[in-house]
Amino acid sequence: MKPKKNNWWSLFLLIASVTQLSAQDYTFKNYDWDEKDVSINVPEQYKNENETILSRIVKIELVSQKNAAVQYYLLHDRIYINADDAIERNNKVYISLDGDENLVSTKVRVILKNGKTIVLNQKDIKEEVDQEKGIRYHYFAVNGLEKGAVIEKITIKEQIPQVNGCSHRLQDRYPIAQMDFQLIYPNHLVFKTKSLNGLSEPIMSHDTINKRITLQIKEQNIAALNDDEKYSNWNSQVRMFRYKLDENRYSGAKNMFNFKAFATNTFDRFNTELDKKESKAIADFCGTITKSNDVQEQIWNIENKIKKNIVYNQYQNSNPGIIETLKTKQGNLIDMIRIYLAVFKYFNIENNMVYTSDRYKIPFQEDFESYENLSEVLFYFPPIKKYLSPTDLEYRIPYFPSGLANNRGLFIKSRMFGGVSMGVGEINFIEIPGIEYTHDHMDITVDFTQDIENPSITEQLSFGGYAAITMQPIKDFVPTDQYKIILKSIAENYSTQKEFKTLKAGNDGTDYIGKKPFLLDFNFDGADLVKKAGPTYIFSVGLIIGKQNELYQENKRMMPVEINYPHAYTRKIHILLPPGVTVKNLEKLAMDYKTVVNGTTQAAFTSKYAQTANEILIENEEYYKSVTYPLEQFEQYRSVINAAADFNKIVLVLNK
């Protein structure tokens, strides 16, 4: 069961009807901008900014209308435009609508420096079609924007109430001079809230006449938080306000949408006894799954069989039962969970359902029991301490989407009480597969013995873990000719070359995911890496490992480092020389950069070399053990990242 706000729509309708709320209009029904206010007052501190949100007003109100609960959402922005790129960003104002939203009203106006205004209403809305995605976009085409102008936008939407958990980001990629956020609701309801990352706590006010409560947050001079910092998690650092319905004083319901109730209800929903026909269908299906005495291999065989035979379709309605899912060979999340649980039970495999969130969207918070924390599903297997994603086709145990790891989750376990099996929820940490899993190896031979101006270069690459997952499954999903083109592009990325004498892959296809590393071997002529300068030859040795990323940081770093998963690289480069050739600049190959956190080296790039009569052996080690690195250690981390790019620049001077 994956929580959806639609599920709680029914609950809130019940809340509204049981309490016999009288029909109400929302307080900002007639909200509008001040027609006479065409002034452009920019605080001194923002006059040199490319773009500034001079004011942002957000209002969310829950009301009862004809025994139905409805939520209205207002956004009113005044944005100062002060650069060409800001004009380009704002010359189209897109109107986003989820499937369960209705647009009540929207309009835009531009206030020019001379006080003239350009007003756009709903009749001016245009449509744009993304042919590739098949999606229609509605937008205002804003004409007349100029530096020094203000663009003002008001949008009101009707929505399904989001009472089981909702988050609003009250910080932006651009500075906000004035922020006013309001949550308005009937006074018989109680909301639990949480302010994150320095956001102030809401102030509560009571409207006793209309029986409403308003939670308000007003802030000034909210600094911009750029989302373009590499290796960071913007959503975990931005100022955010979270809330959920916690109590209904009319019905007496308290501690609503808590983890304990979710665990019990979810367990009961999925742990029902199969009837005889369903048991036989599962037994027949399990009979086609390869048996193994190794627990992890058995789980891998189960996952592989299900993912290759039953298509996950998140948009379809649930099947009436397991038999229909096996027969139609497709199902939604609920159907997939039922199949997995039934098969695990058949093979007597201990498991927990794990509900969590994507840490790059909403980091899981143990002290705020909101169902927004429970948007993603995994299976956990205590005997082997590994996880499985039931819906992501390209993953196999022990790998699952890295955004769900290094995060906490609600583990739903079976416990016996008085001879009855019941579901119990526990909050635990979801470990990500460590550095030993995503470890890439590169073995390179550069042979100058036949031709010093055109060495023969052979590279043998081995990709493990998450690095392999980006390449390993491709073979099963594209035609052979296209696969050859993709392999060539991968080889180009790791060699900076365009033509190869030989190129072949190994352990490719989904049958190897989680079992063996993806292999890529190729050979090419290295004439492009050698330049003759009189009696010497300049060899760009650093480029044979492929172009490496360089981490620039023009502005002051604002966020700590966060990467997708731990990973490591081991590189060995063998340079074979003909007799009589000497090499200069070898000392450049000795490198040592580290990131130390709490006295322990968490990231490093080291390089060393050894020389015999006719061979030079270069060895690189690069690794990132941790997923997160404190802001205080950013410069150390940057030095490690940039060390590989610095290695790219190393050249060796060869003399006959």
Side-chain angles (χ1 to χ4, degrees):
M1 182 173 64
K2 185 174 181 178
K4 296 180 180 178
K5 55 190 176 185
N6 286 14
N7 294 346
W8 315 122
W9 172 232
S10 301
L11 174 58
F12 203 80
L13 282 175
L14 179 63
I15 293 170
S17 59
V18 167
T19 57
Q20 297 180 344
L21 295 175
S22 58
Q24 290 179 318
D25 271 333
Y26 53 103
T27 56
F28 49 85
K29 183 177 181 179
N30 299 314
Y31 187 93
D32 204 351
W33 53 48
D34 185 347
E35 294 284 354
K36 297 179 181 179
D37 183 7
V38 293
S39 58
I40 300 177
N41 298 314
V42 182
E44 190 66 33
Q45 68 196 86
Y46 299 122
K47 286 187 175 178
N48 294 323
E49 293 285 345
N50 288 357
E51 184 172 339
T52 301
I53 302 167
L54 297 177
S55 67
R56 171 165 289 171
I57 298 171
V58 178
K59 294 175 183 278
I60 299 165
E61 184 167 358
L62 283 71
V63 299
S64 173
Q65 293 182 341
K66 298 179 181 177
N67 287 328
V70 181
Q71 173 175 298
Y72 288 93
Y73 171 87
L74 163 74
L75 174 64
H76 179 191
D77 275 350
R78 284 173 63 98
I79 302 172
Y80 175 59
I81 306 298
N82 196 34
D84 291 335
D85 61 340
I87 292 173
E88 187 175 347
R89 274 193 301 273
N90 290 277
N91 61 15
K92 284 186 178 180
V93 176
Y94 287 94
I95 303 155
S96 62
L97 285 175
D98 289 341
D100 53 10
E101 291 182 324
N102 293 315
L103 184 64
V104 176
S105 65
T106 183
K107 61 183 194 175
V108 173
R109 73 172 173 174
V110 177
I111 305 173
L112 302 176
K113 289 184 290 185
N114 61 10
K116 180 183 176 182
T117 61
I118 303 168
V119 179
L120 299 170
N121 296 303
Q122 280 177 255
K123 61 181 176 59
D124 299 306
I125 294 175
K126 299 182 183 296
E127 186 178 276
E128 183 178 273
V129 180
D130 186 326
Q131 299 290 353
E132 200 171 297
K133 297 180 180 178
I135 299 175
R136 283 184 169 83
Y137 297 96
H138 294 91
Y139 67 95
F140 288 110
V142 181
N143 298 315
L145 270 182
E146 62 181 15
K147 292 181 185 178
V150 166
I151 182 169
E152 189 167 10
K153 304 179 282 188
I154 296 178
T155 298
I156 298 177
K157 301 176 185 178
E158 182 184 271
Q159 302 172 325
I160 291 174
Q162 300 176 40
V163 295
N164 66 328
C166 189
S167 296
H168 288 270
R169 292 154 185 81
L170 302 186
Q171 190 174 16
D172 208 288
R173 296 157 180 84
Y174 312 102
I176 304 175
Q178 301 279 346
M179 162 69 76
D180 185 352
F181 174 89
Q182 298 176 32
L183 176 64
I184 309 163
Y185 52 91
N187 64 2
H188 69 281
L189 301 179
V190 177
F191 277 82
K192 185 176 182 179
T193 69
K194 189 173 183 66
S195 295
L196 300 175
N197 300 317
L199 183 71
S200 58
E201 293 297 323
I203 295 174
M204 180 181 291
S205 60
H206 296 262
D207 178 352
T208 55
I209 296 174
N210 295 300
K211 298 182 179 180
R212 293 187 180 104
I213 292 175
T214 298
L215 295 179
Q216 185 174 31
I217 297 174
K218 295 185 75 171
E219 292 202 350
Q220 296 181 342
N221 301 322
I222 302 174
L225 186 65
N226 292 327
D227 66 340
D228 58 355
E229 290 189 345
K230 281 189 174 181
Y231 312 111
S232 63
N233 185 348
W234 189 84
N235 275 311
S236 72
Q237 302 299 317
V238 70
R239 293 188 188 185
M240 186 183 295
F241 182 63
R242 303 189 70 178
Y243 62 86
K244 69 148 189 177
L245 180 62
D246 195 56
E247 183 179 344
N248 182 341
R249 288 172 176 157
Y250 281 176
S251 68
K254 294 184 178 181
N255 192 22
M256 299 171 71
F257 308 111
N258 65 79
F259 290 160
K260 180 180 179 181
F262 182 88
T264 300
N265 294 336
T266 300
F267 182 86
D268 291 345
R269 180 175 189 177
F270 287 113
N271 286 271
T272 57
E273 289 295 323
L274 303 181
D275 60 30
K276 288 184 179 180
K277 288 183 179 180
E278 290 174 326
S279 296
K280 184 180 185 306
I282 285 295
D284 291 343
F285 180 75
C286 292
T288 65
I289 298 174
T290 304
K291 309 294 189 296
S292 174
N293 292 325
D294 181 89
V295 176
Q296 182 165 322
E297 185 176 5
Q298 184 63 72
I299 296 169
W300 191 98
N301 293 342
I302 291 169
E303 181 182 14
N304 194 50
K305 183 69 175 181
I306 292 175
K307 287 183 175 178
K308 285 191 171 183
N309 286 273
I310 302 174
V311 177
Y312 166 60
N313 182 350
Q314 62 177 315
Y315 300 108
Q316 79 167 55
N317 293 325
S318 297
N319 291 316
I322 282 175
I323 293 174
E324 288 75 12
T325 302
L326 294 173
K327 185 183 295 185
T328 61
K329 295 188 176 182
Q330 64 176 347
N332 64 15
L333 179 61
I334 291 172
D335 301 320
M336 300 303 290
I337 292 175
R338 284 174 175 159
I339 290 292
Y340 275 102
L341 287 174
V343 175
F344 293 152
K345 186 175 182 180
Y346 179 90
F347 283 99
N348 197 29
I349 295 174
E350 182 185 355
N351 66 88
N352 303 157
M353 280 186 287
V354 181
Y355 284 80
T356 186
S357 59
D358 186 330
R359 61 186 160 96
Y360 285 106
K361 296 176 182 176
I362 298 290
F364 189 101
Q365 290 180 305
E366 184 175 355
D367 61 347
F368 190 72
E369 295 191 25
S370 159
Y371 284 5
E372 196 178 21
N373 287 319
L374 311 175
S375 58
E376 305 291 340
V377 187
L378 296 170
F379 285 108
Y380 174 68
F381 305 96
I384 58 173
K385 298 181 179 180
K386 300 291 194 305
Y387 296 85
L388 178 155
S389 169
T391 57
D392 292 281
L393 184 61
E394 69 273 27
Y395 292 94
R396 298 289 187 276
I397 192 171
Y399 305 110
F400 57 98
S402 60
L404 310 188
N406 207 64
N407 198 14
R408 293 194 178 275
L410 177 65
F411 288 61
I412 302 177
K413 310 177 180 185
S414 175
R415 292 285 186 270
M416 297 299 293
F417 295 96
V420 178
S421 180
M422 299 180 66
V424 175
E426 293 180 5
I427 306 299
N428 291 314
F429 190 73
I430 303 172
E431 297 281 355
I432 194 166
I435 197 170
E436 67 276 12
Y437 288 93
T438 304
H439 193 154
D440 298 349
H441 295 266
M442 180 178 281
D443 200 306
I444 304 171
T445 300
V446 184
D447 189 350
F448 284 100
T449 60
Q450 300 302 311
D451 188 344
I452 198 169
E453 294 186 25
N454 185 21
S456 175
I457 301 178
T458 301
E459 299 200 16
Q460 297 176 313
L461 311 183
S462 171
F463 303 92
Y466 285 103
I469 286 171
T470 63
M471 298 173 276
Q472 209 161 26
I474 298 173
K475 180 183 178 182
D476 293 348
F477 299 99
V478 299
T480 302
D481 290 346
Q482 188 177 348
Y483 184 54
K484 290 179 180 178
I485 295 171
I486 292 171
L487 287 181
K488 185 172 180 291
S489 68
I490 295 172
E492 289 172 3
N493 188 52
Y494 286 91
S495 65
T496 71
Q497 296 298 301
K498 298 294 183 184
E499 299 298 330
F500 303 93
K501 294 195 289 187
T502 62
L503 174 61
K504 66 176 182 178
N507 299 338
D508 46 350
T510 53
D511 287 343
Y512 294 98
I513 298 174
K515 287 188 170 184
K516 293 184 178 181
F518 174 68
L519 305 177
L520 191 65
D521 297 347
F522 49 87
N523 174 266
F524 60 92
D525 290 329
D528 292 344
L529 299 174
V530 179
K531 292 182 180 179
K532 192 172 186 303
T536 65
Y537 298 87
I538 311 298
F539 173 47
S540 298
V541 62
L543 292 178
I544 62 176
I545 67 171
K547 189 167 181 60
Q548 303 295 305
N549 290 326
E550 193 161 5
L551 180 53
Y552 296 100
Q553 190 68 38
E554 294 180 0
N555 301 319
K556 181 182 178 182
R557 180 79 179 193
M558 300 293 292
M559 292 184 282
V561 170
E562 183 166 338
I563 61 177
N564 293 334
Y565 45 81
H567 54 284
Y569 308 90
T570 296
R571 307 179 183 99
K572 290 186 178 182
I573 303 170
H574 309 265
I575 300 177
L576 308 181
L577 301 170
V581 171
T582 60
V583 182
K584 295 181 180 179
N585 286 15
L586 287 175
E587 70 279 0
K588 298 286 186 182
L589 298 169
M591 303 172 70
D592 187 6
Y593 295 89
K594 293 182 172 65
T595 304
V596 179
V597 180
N598 296 328
T600 304
T601 300
Q602 294 295 329
F605 181 97
T606 61
S607 180
K608 62 183 181 179
Y609 70 93
Q611 184 176 18
T612 58
N614 295 312
E615 181 179 352
I616 298 168
L617 174 62
I618 306 167
E619 295 181 283
N620 284 175
E621 287 289 341
E622 182 180 0
Y623 61 81
Y624 305 88
K625 292 181 179 179
S626 178
V627 170
T628 57
Y629 299 83
L631 183 59
E632 295 76 21
Q633 266 68 44
F634 173 72
E635 286 302 326
Q636 285 188 21
Y637 179 85
R638 188 160 76 105
S639 72
V640 174
I641 286 281
N642 288 345
D646 292 340
F647 185 85
N648 269 163
K649 301 168 188 174
I650 295 176
V651 298
L652 298 179
V653 180
L654 280 62
N655 289 298
K656 283 187 176 181

